[in-house]
Amino acid sequence: MTRICVFGAGAIGSHLATRAALGGADVAVVARGPHLDAMRERGITLHAHDGTRTVRVEAFATAAEVGPVDAVLVTTKVPALPAAARAIAPLLGPDTPVAFVTNGIPWWYFLRHGGERDGERIPLLDPGARIEREISIHRTLGGVVYSASAVIEPGVVKSEHADIRLFLGEPDGTVTPRAQAIAQAIEAGGMPCPVVTDIRHRVWGKLMGNLTSGPLCILSRSDMMTTLADPAVYAAAIAIAEEGAALAQAHGHDLATSAQARMQRSAMIAHKPSILQDLELGRAMEIDALFTVPLDLARQAGVPMPVFELTARLATQAARAAGLYSPAG
């Protein structure tokens, strides 16, 4: 039996922990606050398209209480990753992989990239290379999740729709038994979990939704369906999606799906993006991974993104005014 620890078990982490437990894995979670207390007492209850289930997991406040495991899923917010990288040390055996299931451009993006920029670091996402030093690229797996989840009360998570999946991939594009072992447990628990050779392509695909829904929903303080119901806002979202697709193309990733098709799907989802949930709950916001670094990459590639830049700058001002964002360093 594979022993998996989900570090940072909020909404997404708790959903993945539930799927892994349903799939037969031995699951531990590291969390905090009332959510941790509830999981210790009652387990995790997941309301999803395929039913409501409650699973018992081992729930702890620190990694030291867990000890070495076969695999780690890190689902903390990006601003917390440098601290998390050190905190998970007790979970790591000699060969334990660490899957970073995060939003936006990942800290490891250019490591084992294989292209012209292979080996470049992104200091804004990994200040002082702390994550790389503590974990190393050799342990690292990329993770891109579609879950639309929220903690609706301590110990209880709701997933909004049936279009759920977790993509896992090695940064160098190989398919490895360690990634397949994690995927097997997640898939057996009811969530599709392909192990892919193009994890960066999946990063760009997920980022397209973040670029549009993130800033616009922060500014409207509403879910995607409500926000995009305004024709002028919908037109702005189309423009941002086209800008994002051009940026992905400049980095070698043709996303194929049209901006219009992407926005038609988004306009049907009554879900608040996680970055808006963070603003409403007073949690540090993933501004750099979702907004700042993509804009930096756009400038470097000579790709104009005027509509996205305007909305992202305004959203960043809102985050800063709320005291929920300051540049990493």
Side-chain angles (χ1 to χ4, degrees), residues 216 227-238:
L216 293 174
T227 300
L228 296 179
D230 185 298
V233 178
Y234 186 84
I238 293 288

Side-chain angles (χ1 to χ4, degrees), residues 178-323:
R178 65 185 192 174
Q180 291 174 320
I182 300 170
Q184 183 178 6
I186 299 292
E187 288 206 328
M191 175 182 279
C193 188
V195 177
V196 298
T197 59
D198 58 351
I199 191 63
R200 290 177 184 81
H201 189 82
R202 312 300 170 159
V203 166
W204 284 106
K206 177 74 181 287
L207 182 62
M208 292 307 99
N210 296 136
L211 296 182
T212 52
S213 67
L216 293 174
C217 290
I218 287 172
L219 295 173
S220 71
R221 299 296 200 274
S222 298
D223 61 63
M224 288 186 283
M225 182 182 291
T226 303
T227 300
L228 296 179
D230 185 298
V233 178
Y234 186 84
I238 293 288
I240 293 171
E242 290 172 343
E243 294 171 359
L247 176 59
Q249 184 72 55
H251 285 268
H253 297 277
D254 184 352
L255 299 181
T257 307
S258 71
Q260 183 74 37
R262 287 179 180 274
M263 289 308 100
Q264 286 176 344
R265 289 199 299 267
S266 295
M268 298 174 64
I269 300 173
H271 174 72
K272 292 181 178 181
S274 61
I275 196 166
L276 175 57
Q277 294 182 44
D278 292 339
L279 174 60
E280 292 179 337
L281 293 171
R283 301 186 301 216
M285 297 168 67
E286 299 175 304
I287 296 293
D288 289 331
L290 295 177
F291 304 161
T292 313
V293 170
L295 284 171
D296 288 344
L297 294 177
R299 280 192 295 271
Q300 293 163 15
V303 176
M305 299 186 74
V307 183
F308 172 66
E309 182 160 16
L310 173 62
T311 58
R313 297 296 187 198
L314 289 170
T316 300
Q317 287 184 19
R320 199 187 298 273

Side-chain angles (χ1 to χ4, degrees), residues 151-175:
V151 176
I152 58 176
E153 64 179 89
V156 182
V157 175
K158 182 178 181 181
S159 177
E160 298 286 348
H161 53 69
D163 187 18
I164 61 171
R165 57 205 185 278
L166 169 66
F167 293 100
L168 293 175
E170 298 279 353
D172 65 1
T174 57
V175 174

Side-chain angles (χ1 to χ4, degrees), residues 6-223:
V6 177
F7 187 92
I12 296 295
S14 297
H15 190 169
L16 295 180
T18 301
R19 296 295 178 178
L22 290 171
D26 177 10
V27 178
V29 300
V30 176
R32 62 186 180 182
H35 189 51
L36 168 62
D37 296 336
M39 288 190 290
R40 279 175 166 165
E41 182 178 345
R42 300 185 297 276
I44 306 170
T45 296
L46 172 66
H47 299 284
H49 73 283
D50 54 349
T52 297
R53 297 176 178 87
T54 298
V55 300
R56 302 293 301 193
V57 297
E58 297 181 73
F60 302 98
T62 67
E65 299 170 83
V66 182
V69 296
D70 297 316
V72 180
L73 302 181
V74 176
T75 56
T76 61
K77 298 295 183 180
V78 171
L81 286 181
R86 173 163 290 185
I88 69 172
L91 302 173
L92 304 181
D95 301 312
T96 304
V98 179
F100 289 90
V101 184
T102 56
N103 283 324
I105 301 296
W107 66 269
W108 52 264
Y109 187 86
F110 291 113
L111 303 182
R112 291 185 151 181
H113 181 276
E116 292 182 1
R117 302 179 67 174
D118 184 67
E120 285 190 24
R121 275 71 180 173
I122 307 177
L124 203 57
L125 300 179
D126 186 14
R130 289 172 59 190
I131 307 170
E132 183 182 0
R133 185 172 61 252
E134 297 287 346
I135 304 301
S136 87
I137 190 61
H138 302 290
R139 290 188 186 271
T140 296
L141 294 172
V144 176
V145 67
Y146 292 83
S147 174
S149 297
V151 176
I152 58 176
E153 64 179 89
V156 182
V157 175
K158 182 178 181 181
S159 177
E160 298 286 348
H161 53 69
D163 187 18
I164 61 171
R165 57 205 185 278
L166 169 66
F167 293 100
L168 293 175
E170 298 279 353
D172 65 1
T174 57
V175 174
T176 58
R178 65 185 192 174
Q180 291 174 320
I182 300 170
Q184 183 178 6
I186 299 292
E187 288 206 328
M191 175 182 279
C193 188
V195 177
V196 298
T197 59
D198 58 351
I199 191 63
R200 290 177 184 81
H201 189 82
R202 312 300 170 159
V203 166
W204 284 106
K206 177 74 181 287
L207 182 62
M208 292 307 99
N210 296 136
L211 296 182
T212 52
S213 67
L216 293 174
C217 290
I218 287 172
L219 295 173
S220 71
R221 299 296 200 274
S222 298
D223 61 63

